[in-house]
Amino acid sequence: DVVMTQSPLSLPVTLGQPASISCRSSQSLVHSDGNTYLNWFQQRPGQSPRRLIYKVSNRDSGVPDRFSGSGSGTDFTLKISRVEAEDVGVYYCMQGTHWPRFTFGPGTKVDIK
Amino acid sequence: QVQLVESGGGLVKPGGSLRLSCAASGFTFSDYYMSWIRQAPGKGLEWVSYISSSGSTIYYADSVKGRFTISRDNAKNSLYLQMNSLRAEDTAVYYCARKDYGDLDYWGQGTLVTVSS
């Protein structure tokens, strides 16, 4: 199975400052169809996960443009340009290239310093 | 708008059974693969199972294979997860999610399953 790792696992940030989360996969996430199925999810406290980014860098509808995704192959990054209080939560990357088994990263907890 | 609403969770003894349901609306249910994902208390996300749009293709995580059965009723816009031989380690919030090729785009609010004597 593909193993997803994230760093850091905990990320205290100052309001208004940038934040960056790294996600690495144990195998390339480039699918035979040419797409790279790497999603980013946000899970606010007490809520279900919400997808922010799909196919590495595509923002979902309604997601603020301070969120951006980048990367290729096995290395990916989620960036928040200026952290706001509502961004507190846990962020997960997930690969869907090597299905049938989707695999998630362990999560990165973002909170305010 | 797309809505997924899970139900059927609760407290069950080890070795017991439970059937979860997920009611879908706001999209053509029969066009999409669907999936179950779970999250143990304070832990990360674990993919459990998915089913093709027609129900003809099904996959399970090794941790639930042989104990859980996923199914769907396209006429009722509903997804199910029959869970048998439940163990303490199956305690989790169970989410249904819509699968859009290699992505999981919409998730429900989840239903809590607690396995305890």
Side-chain angles (χ1 to χ4, degrees), chain B residues 38-51:
Chain B
R38 68 184 180 183
Q39 185 172 34
K43 303 294 185 183
L45 300 166
E46 179 190 17
W47 169 78
V48 172
S49 179
Y50 77 68
I51 185 168

Side-chain angles (χ1 to χ4, degrees), chain A residues 37 39 41 43 48 51 99-100, chain B residues 39 50 59 101-103 107-108:
Chain A
Y37 295 102
N39 289 182
F41 294 91
Q43 188 174 33
S48 60
R51 196 179 68 176
W99 57 286
Chain B
Q39 185 172 34
Y50 77 68
Y59 288 99
Y101 208 67
D103 303 311
W107 296 52

Side-chain angles (χ1 to χ4, degrees), chain B residues 3-116:
Chain B
Q3 271 205 305
L4 298 168
V5 180
E6 302 93 337
S7 60
L11 175 63
V12 61
K13 289 181 168 53
S17 298
L18 213 53
R19 189 194 196 207
L20 306 183
S21 299
C22 171
S25 60
F27 65 102
T28 304
F29 182 70
S30 58
D31 284 348
Y32 287 86
Y33 283 45
M34 297 294 295
S35 191
W36 288 99
I37 300 98
R38 68 184 180 183
Q39 185 172 34
K43 303 294 185 183
L45 300 166
E46 179 190 17
W47 169 78
V48 172
S49 179
Y50 77 68
I51 185 168
S52 63
S53 52
S54 66
S56 60
T57 301
I58 286 171
Y59 288 99
Y60 298 99
D62 290 342
S63 56
V64 306
K65 200 177 299 182
R67 300 186 299 120
F68 290 12
T69 302
I70 190 172
S71 62
R72 64 191 296 159
D73 185 335
N74 287 341
K76 294 183 177 180
N77 291 339
S78 293
L79 175 72
Y80 306 102
L81 187 67
Q82 177 66 44
M83 305 185 296
N84 298 331
S85 303
L86 283 161
R87 307 166 179 165
E89 55 264 35
D90 296 318
T91 294
V93 175
Y94 286 73
Y95 299 101
C96 67
R98 190 176 81 167
K99 179 182 177 302
D100 182 15
Y101 208 67
D103 303 311
L104 294 175
D105 56 359
Y106 290 95
W107 296 52
Q109 86 290 346
T111 187
L112 176 63
V113 172
T114 304
V115 184
S116 174

